[in-house]
Amino acid sequence: MKNTNRLVAMLAILAGCVVFAAAALAGSGTKADPWVIGMSQCNLNEPWRTQMNADVRNAAEPLDNLKVIYQDAANDTLKQRAQIEEFIAQPVDLLIVSPKEAVPLTPPISRAYRAGIPVIVLDRRVVGQDYTCFIGADNVKIGEAAGRWIARRLAGGGNVVELKGLMTSTPAQDRHSGFLKGIKGRGDIKIVFDADMQWLEPNARKEMESALARFDKIDLVYGHNDPAAHGAWLAAKATGREKDIVFVGIDGLPQEGQAYVRQGILNVCFEYPTGGREAIETALEILKSGKAPKEMTLRSRFFTRENIDKGGEWLPEETQSKGTAPAPEGNKSK
Ligand code: FRU
């Protein structure tokens, strides 16, 4: 960055936003010469991530002044690093990355940012501040809301299985710490079994088989995503124990978590918006004006068997981490 550009960037940061002095642009934002956006997806082989890409595509397709190039790292950190390096080399005008893991994906994202390519980090975080804008829901708050819901549901205490997401990714860390906050002070709620299912349903199912084999009394499964809760339900069903257990998940896609709630598989799921549409809106803003907020926090709803026909209920914006967690309603049957 030239000195003047650096000064502009510093002033902009002080003013609460980031300005990019675009280097050599790949496109110029016209129909004939659209801006080029690189979209680095860590794993398209999961329903929530397919939805994220669909949300990006739906938002980008009507715009003829930008073009998105998609890369899928197929759940391979090294591959995702290489794909980001390729985007830097092209170069693209802007990068959207949903990184698999925080630490190993930080260096290439930082390199892109320092090379003057604006970077939007989606859903999972990286380490440090070398990116233009982070877009995602607050996983600590979601975990805490889940914890409080669980604390109310297990009024007389109970045994919990926690199926964690990949613990080298930030949503799993945050959903775990938020959950512990949510059940704080409830010594009668015991996490009798926990495992890192790496966000994948088949792993969750296997882990739940082990949990069922070891513990005669399991009252509730807290899955860090809906595939985990569903995998656990399948394992429980195979042993005829699914009706004795409450299943809690996160993601809340209409075709997945919400459908499971309607089918009576999950008791509750917490929405985790993909941010795909917001990423394209923000990208456009950055490309046009060079400005973006450093952080964009998306709101979340929760869906129970009682509220799902009304479209779920929003987690309160201000109070969700301060104690007004959603309470289980109505029909308490498992
Ligand atoms: C998909 C996914 C979602 C989860 C998100 C967290 O890879 O596991 O189910 O909510 O990633 O980053």
Side-chain angles (χ1 to χ4, degrees), residues 18-323:
V18 177
V19 167
F20 269 85
L25 288 183
S28 52
T30 60
K31 194 174 174 182
D33 185 25
W35 284 307
V36 180
I37 296 179
M39 164 79 199
S40 167
Q41 177 58 269
C42 63
N43 186 21
L44 254 191
N45 193 23
E46 286 171 70
W48 187 84
R49 294 194 174 276
T50 317
Q51 187 60 51
M52 183 197 276
N53 273 35
D55 291 344
V56 167
R57 190 167 278 120
N58 290 339
E61 242 164 30
L63 308 171
D64 56 12
N65 58 347
L66 56 84
K67 180 178 134 198
V68 184
I69 303 173
Y70 297 86
Q71 287 285 10
D72 167 20
N75 218 16
D76 179 338
T77 294
L78 290 180
K79 196 169 185 176
Q80 191 168 27
R81 286 178 64 134
Q83 288 173 344
I84 294 171
E85 297 291 356
E86 279 169 32
F87 279 137
I88 299 172
Q90 281 187 3
V92 290
D93 293 311
L94 184 143
L95 198 56
I96 301 174
V97 187
S98 195
K100 177 173 173 183
E101 296 171 284
V103 172
L105 269 314
T106 297
I109 287 176
S110 169
R111 256 193 302 284
Y113 179 75
R114 284 169 184 246
I117 299 175
V119 186
I120 297 174
V121 177
L122 252 187
D123 143 59
R124 299 185 186 171
R125 289 177 185 275
V126 287
V127 182
Q129 297 289 311
D130 274 358
Y131 56 86
T132 312
C133 174
F134 173 80
I135 301 177
D138 185 332
N139 282 300
V140 176
K141 286 181 178 174
I142 292 174
E144 186 176 3
R148 289 179 186 275
W149 190 95
I150 289 165
R152 305 277 275 269
R153 180 68 190 236
L154 299 181
N159 290 348
V160 172
V161 167
E162 183 180 6
L163 295 172
K164 296 172 172 165
L166 182 69
M167 287 302 275
T168 49
S169 68
T170 56
Q173 296 160 6
D174 292 349
R175 289 174 195 183
H176 173 65
S177 66
F179 169 59
L180 294 185
K181 251 168 114 181
I183 60 166
K184 200 165 170 217
R186 289 291 306 273
D188 57 343
I189 296 178
K190 299 206 165 37
I191 304 171
V192 291
F193 183 97
D194 73 285
D196 187 331
M197 51 77 193
Q198 304 184 343
W199 299 119
L200 302 175
E201 174 157 344
N203 294 351
R205 187 174 176 167
K206 277 198 204 89
E207 295 295 351
M208 185 66 182
E209 281 165 7
S210 306
L212 288 160
R214 275 179 58 191
F215 298 97
D216 288 338
K217 186 176 176 303
I218 295 173
D219 301 295
L220 186 143
V221 172
Y222 169 46
H224 282 197
N225 63 2
D226 291 336
H230 184 248
W233 180 85
L234 288 175
K237 189 167 159 53
T239 58
R241 290 170 64 181
E242 84 281 7
K243 293 208 166 51
D244 304 331
I245 302 172
V246 173
F247 293 89
V248 178
I250 297 172
D251 277 349
L253 291 177
Q255 67 275 27
E256 196 185 35
Q258 290 184 48
Y260 295 151
V261 169
R262 284 184 201 285
Q263 291 159 20
I265 292 173
L266 299 191
N267 296 75
V268 63
C269 68
F270 291 79
E271 183 187 27
Y272 188 57
T274 69
R277 177 174 52 80
E278 291 82 354
I280 288 298
E281 288 167 0
T282 307
L284 202 59
E285 196 51 44
I286 294 170
L287 289 165
K288 279 187 182 157
S289 71
K291 289 183 193 153
K294 191 77 188 176
E295 184 96 12
M296 192 181 289
T297 307
L298 306 174
R299 290 193 70 194
S300 170
R301 288 172 290 179
F302 69 101
F303 301 96
T304 62
R305 294 171 190 179
E306 294 75 28
N307 74 16
I308 191 144
D309 287 332
K310 292 178 278 165
E313 209 174 299
W314 291 102
L315 298 190
E317 210 159 11
E318 286 308 314
T319 50
Q320 60 184 323
S321 67
K322 293 183 191 145

